[in-house]
Amino acid sequence: VLDRQPEVGGRCRVWQKDGFTFDMGPSWYWMPDVFDEFFERFGKKTSDYYHLRRLNPPYRLFMEGGRAIDVPDTVRELGDMFERSEPGSRQQLEAFMRQAEYKYKVSMSDYVKRPSVSLGEFIDVRMVREVFRLDMLKSQSGHVKSFFKHPDHIKIMEWPVLFLGGAPSSVPAMYSLMNYAAIVLGTHYPDGGMLKVPLAMRSVAEELGVEFRLGEQHNVTKISVEGRDASGVETRAGFVHADFVVAAGDYHHVEASLIPQELRNYSEEHWDRYTMSPSSLLFFLGVNKKLDNLRHHNLFFDESLEQHAKEIYDTPQWPSKPLFYVCVQSVTDPSTAPRGMENVFVLIPLAAGLEDSEALRDRYYDMVMDRLERHTQQPIRQGVLVKRGYAMRDFEHDFSSYKGNAYGLANTLMQTAVFKPCIRSLKIDNLYFAGQLTVPGPGVPPAIISGHMAASLIAQHRDRGTGVSSAASQLALRALKSPATPAIMGSLALLAAVTATLLL
């Protein structure tokens, strides 16, 4: 496994300064079954590597005027809360969650794990029937509003799909499965931080003989191709032979910079037509005192979600009144900050590809800190000992991230399954992809699933001893160009294909 970063994990990494340890990437641990399944494949358990604690309450919402709501951790408690402000909504919630459970179990056991190499994977009687039962043709926003009328309830039930990189008005209602993930499966925290996850995966891999080559000298600069096969990769440390290559870095970067233009799956014009998920402006703050009125996870919906979404997807611009997220990791894990101090992480979603300057960062820091201090009724800025900003140009520099995106593609209907960038090259038989820009989509659990799918396809490829047929490649290429369609090196090691999803 080759990675230009000094440690495994990619975006899932830490930054340490003056006794503070910040998770710089993923901070939400949802869908624990996906992580458990990964370790079970190798006869292990998640608890063999790190301890999980379930957060209760899982998060706090700040509504208009700074009104705070601690969202309950169970369907029953959430139903009781809903019922107090909207009579009849307990029963509606139970019906909504039954549907969400069905969608989660059907999708996670089958559809999400289809590699989406061809449309034929989805042409079956069951799938045609399920299109309607899974609400593929309805938006999450419309679906939620058909059950609930109270604005608080709508926000609580809409927002989880933001993890999929799209607005509730454009994400298919199939993804109400995220409500099941959030409410029933719960929000967890691995003691020691999110880096524990890729470190555990590395440990499993090394037990099975996988070699990790980390650091700038192992940055891949070229995928060498002979005929229809990749023979290996060039790095600053030299050439590495490969029977198969799994590219788990930024998909666009791999195509634009590591292979010849004529061997790309997608042109620049095609990439430009994709709707990207947001980038982010992040601030990592070490504060010299304990803070009041904040939980581990805090979501500020005190302004309009619709307006912010419009300024991300419809008319990309720096938002006029941004929503934002605050993680206070030290509330749960005191080891991440010096005694009596607080570890604070602020995230503002932004449209990908915007101008990124220090002046803009400073302006938005003050904008959100004004609201954070007002809504939590305490001064914070004067106590900041450590501060670091991070945004689009940093994502581009550190991860060669297309347009500085933070998460991948938005999970709209026309960017789902076969409409996402293909998990395998159509012109290089032994080149496969994994990670956030291919199927099934953005987020740590989908990245893990993409690695497993890539490994499964490689196993099939190895067993049959042939690549993609020329006829199949040409058919797929024609479909990709239609106007209607908006590193494991050396001998094959299936585990490394999975692990690679969290690398680069």
Side-chain angles (χ1 to χ4, degrees), residues 329-344:
Q329 193 174 348
S330 47
V331 166
T332 303
D333 190 348
S335 71
T336 62
R339 185 178 181 86
M341 300 188 188
E342 216 77 280
N343 174 323
V344 180

PDB file of all heavy atoms in Angstrom, residues 329-344:
ATOM      1  N   GLN A 329     -14.674  17.618  20.967  1.00  0.00           N
ATOM      2  CA  GLN A 329     -14.247  16.242  21.197  1.00  0.00           C
ATOM      3  C   GLN A 329     -13.885  15.994  22.656  1.00  0.00           C
ATOM      4  O   GLN A 329     -14.099  14.900  23.192  1.00  0.00           O
ATOM      5  CB  GLN A 329     -13.045  15.949  20.294  1.00  0.00           C
ATOM      6  CG  GLN A 329     -12.653  14.496  20.156  1.00  0.00           C
ATOM      7  CD  GLN A 329     -11.550  14.330  19.116  1.00  0.00           C
ATOM      8  OE1 GLN A 329     -11.251  15.256  18.367  1.00  0.00           O
ATOM      9  NE2 GLN A 329     -10.952  13.160  19.073  1.00  0.00           N
ATOM     10  N   SER A 330     -13.365  17.014  23.309  1.00  0.00           N
ATOM     11  CA  SER A 330     -12.915  16.860  24.698  1.00  0.00           C
ATOM     12  C   SER A 330     -14.063  16.701  25.677  1.00  0.00           C
ATOM     13  O   SER A 330     -13.841  16.306  26.830  1.00  0.00           O
ATOM     14  CB  SER A 330     -12.049  18.063  25.097  1.00  0.00           C
ATOM     15  OG  SER A 330     -12.660  19.287  24.715  1.00  0.00           O
ATOM     16  N   VAL A 331     -15.307  16.970  25.253  1.00  0.00           N
ATOM     17  CA  VAL A 331     -16.462  16.695  26.117  1.00  0.00           C
ATOM     18  C   VAL A 331     -16.537  15.207  26.421  1.00  0.00           C
ATOM     19  O   VAL A 331     -16.842  14.792  27.548  1.00  0.00           O
ATOM     20  CB  VAL A 331     -17.767  17.179  25.441  1.00  0.00           C
ATOM     21  CG1 VAL A 331     -18.993  16.604  26.145  1.00  0.00           C
ATOM     22  CG2 VAL A 331     -17.828  18.699  25.425  1.00  0.00           C
ATOM     23  N   THR A 332     -16.231  14.389  25.425  1.00  0.00           N
ATOM     24  CA  THR A 332     -16.275  12.934  25.572  1.00  0.00           C
ATOM     25  C   THR A 332     -14.915  12.353  25.904  1.00  0.00           C
ATOM     26  O   THR A 332     -14.810  11.385  26.663  1.00  0.00           O
ATOM     27  CB  THR A 332     -16.791  12.292  24.265  1.00  0.00           C
ATOM     28  OG1 THR A 332     -18.076  12.832  23.963  1.00  0.00           O
ATOM     29  CG2 THR A 332     -16.879  10.785  24.376  1.00  0.00           C
ATOM     30  N   ASP A 333     -13.858  12.940  25.327  1.00  0.00           N
ATOM     31  CA  ASP A 333     -12.516  12.380  25.444  1.00  0.00           C
ATOM     32  C   ASP A 333     -11.560  13.450  25.972  1.00  0.00           C
ATOM     33  O   ASP A 333     -10.935  14.177  25.197  1.00  0.00           O
ATOM     34  CB  ASP A 333     -12.051  11.889  24.065  1.00  0.00           C
ATOM     35  CG  ASP A 333     -10.776  11.080  24.117  1.00  0.00           C
ATOM     36  OD1 ASP A 333     -10.112  11.076  25.168  1.00  0.00           O
ATOM     37  OD2 ASP A 333     -10.440  10.452  23.097  1.00  0.00           O
ATOM     38  N   PRO A 334     -11.408  13.560  27.300  1.00  0.00           N
ATOM     39  CA  PRO A 334     -10.547  14.605  27.878  1.00  0.00           C
ATOM     40  C   PRO A 334      -9.084  14.501  27.449  1.00  0.00           C
ATOM     41  O   PRO A 334      -8.348  15.483  27.538  1.00  0.00           O
ATOM     42  CB  PRO A 334     -10.685  14.368  29.389  1.00  0.00           C
ATOM     43  CG  PRO A 334     -11.972  13.637  29.558  1.00  0.00           C
ATOM     44  CD  PRO A 334     -12.109  12.784  28.332  1.00  0.00           C
ATOM     45  N   SER A 335      -8.675  13.334  26.925  1.00  0.00           N
ATOM     46  CA  SER A 335      -7.272  13.167  26.526  1.00  0.00           C
ATOM     47  C   SER A 335      -6.911  14.013  25.315  1.00  0.00           C
ATOM     48  O   SER A 335      -5.725  14.172  25.003  1.00  0.00           O
ATOM     49  CB  SER A 335      -6.980  11.696  26.223  1.00  0.00           C
ATOM     50  OG  SER A 335      -7.601  11.278  25.015  1.00  0.00           O
ATOM     51  N   THR A 336      -7.913  14.577  24.622  1.00  0.00           N
ATOM     52  CA  THR A 336      -7.638  15.351  23.402  1.00  0.00           C
ATOM     53  C   THR A 336      -7.325  16.819  23.684  1.00  0.00           C
ATOM     54  O   THR A 336      -7.099  17.594  22.757  1.00  0.00           O
ATOM     55  CB  THR A 336      -8.832  15.265  22.432  1.00  0.00           C
ATOM     56  OG1 THR A 336      -9.996  15.835  23.055  1.00  0.00           O
ATOM     57  CG2 THR A 336      -9.123  13.819  22.045  1.00  0.00           C
ATOM     58  N   ALA A 337      -7.319  17.233  24.967  1.00  0.00           N
ATOM     59  CA  ALA A 337      -7.004  18.616  25.336  1.00  0.00           C
ATOM     60  C   ALA A 337      -6.312  18.620  26.694  1.00  0.00           C
ATOM     61  O   ALA A 337      -6.531  17.714  27.513  1.00  0.00           O
ATOM     62  CB  ALA A 337      -8.273  19.465  25.386  1.00  0.00           C
ATOM     63  N   PRO A 338      -5.476  19.616  26.960  1.00  0.00           N
ATOM     64  CA  PRO A 338      -4.889  19.727  28.292  1.00  0.00           C
ATOM     65  C   PRO A 338      -5.980  19.868  29.363  1.00  0.00           C
ATOM     66  O   PRO A 338      -7.097  20.319  29.086  1.00  0.00           O
ATOM     67  CB  PRO A 338      -4.039  21.000  28.202  1.00  0.00           C
ATOM     68  CG  PRO A 338      -3.740  21.161  26.741  1.00  0.00           C
ATOM     69  CD  PRO A 338      -4.973  20.661  26.044  1.00  0.00           C
ATOM     70  N   ARG A 339      -5.653  19.499  30.563  1.00  0.00           N
ATOM     71  CA  ARG A 339      -6.606  19.529  31.672  1.00  0.00           C
ATOM     72  C   ARG A 339      -7.238  20.923  31.809  1.00  0.00           C
ATOM     73  O   ARG A 339      -6.552  21.950  31.784  1.00  0.00           O
ATOM     74  CB  ARG A 339      -5.903  19.149  32.968  1.00  0.00           C
ATOM     75  CG  ARG A 339      -6.828  19.035  34.169  1.00  0.00           C
ATOM     76  CD  ARG A 339      -6.046  18.605  35.403  1.00  0.00           C
ATOM     77  NE  ARG A 339      -6.901  18.467  36.556  1.00  0.00           N
ATOM     78  CZ  ARG A 339      -7.590  17.366  36.860  1.00  0.00           C
ATOM     79  NH1 ARG A 339      -7.485  16.298  36.069  1.00  0.00           N
ATOM     80  NH2 ARG A 339      -8.354  17.300  37.922  1.00  0.00           N
ATOM     81  N   GLY A 340      -8.579  20.927  31.897  1.00  0.00           N
ATOM     82  CA  GLY A 340      -9.307  22.180  32.074  1.00  0.00           C
ATOM     83  C   GLY A 340      -9.500  22.979  30.805  1.00  0.00           C
ATOM     84  O   GLY A 340      -9.996  24.110  30.851  1.00  0.00           O
ATOM     85  N   MET A 341      -9.125  22.396  29.661  1.00  0.00           N
ATOM     86  CA  MET A 341      -9.250  23.103  28.382  1.00  0.00           C
ATOM     87  C   MET A 341     -10.176  22.335  27.437  1.00  0.00           C
ATOM     88  O   MET A 341     -10.642  21.251  27.757  1.00  0.00           O
ATOM     89  CB  MET A 341      -7.863  23.326  27.762  1.00  0.00           C
ATOM     90  CG  MET A 341      -6.940  24.145  28.641  1.00  0.00           C
ATOM     91  SD  MET A 341      -5.384  24.588  27.805  1.00  0.00           S
ATOM     92  CE  MET A 341      -4.471  25.307  29.173  1.00  0.00           C
ATOM     93  N   GLU A 342     -10.415  22.918  26.263  1.00  0.00           N
ATOM     94  CA  GLU A 342     -11.388  22.338  25.344  1.00  0.00           C
ATOM     95  C   GLU A 342     -10.814  22.257  23.934  1.00  0.00           C
ATOM     96  O   GLU A 342     -10.117  23.158  23.456  1.00  0.00           O
ATOM     97  CB  GLU A 342     -12.655  23.192  25.331  1.00  0.00           C
ATOM     98  CG  GLU A 342     -13.937  22.414  25.186  1.00  0.00           C
ATOM     99  CD  GLU A 342     -14.387  21.714  26.484  1.00  0.00           C
ATOM    100  OE1 GLU A 342     -13.838  20.631  26.788  1.00  0.00           O
ATOM    101  OE2 GLU A 342     -15.290  22.243  27.163  1.00  0.00           O
ATOM    102  N   ASN A 343     -11.129  21.155  23.263  1.00  0.00           N
ATOM    103  CA  ASN A 343     -10.752  20.884  21.873  1.00  0.00           C
ATOM    104  C   ASN A 343     -11.977  21.161  21.003  1.00  0.00           C
ATOM    105  O   ASN A 343     -12.986  20.452  21.101  1.00  0.00           O
ATOM    106  CB  ASN A 343     -10.316  19.412  21.774  1.00  0.00           C
ATOM    107  CG  ASN A 343     -10.031  18.928  20.363  1.00  0.00           C
ATOM    108  OD1 ASN A 343     -10.705  19.312  19.417  1.00  0.00           O
ATOM    109  ND2 ASN A 343      -9.064  18.035  20.238  1.00  0.00           N
ATOM    110  N   VAL A 344     -11.911  22.174  20.151  1.00  0.00           N
ATOM    111  CA  VAL A 344     -13.082  22.612  19.378  1.00  0.00           C
ATOM    112  C   VAL A 344     -12.763  22.581  17.880  1.00  0.00           C
ATOM    113  O   VAL A 344     -11.714  23.043  17.439  1.00  0.00           O
ATOM    114  CB  VAL A 344     -13.508  24.047  19.771  1.00  0.00           C
ATOM    115  CG1 VAL A 344     -14.722  24.496  18.959  1.00  0.00           C
ATOM    116  CG2 VAL A 344     -13.803  24.123  21.267  1.00  0.00           C
TER     117      VAL A 344
END
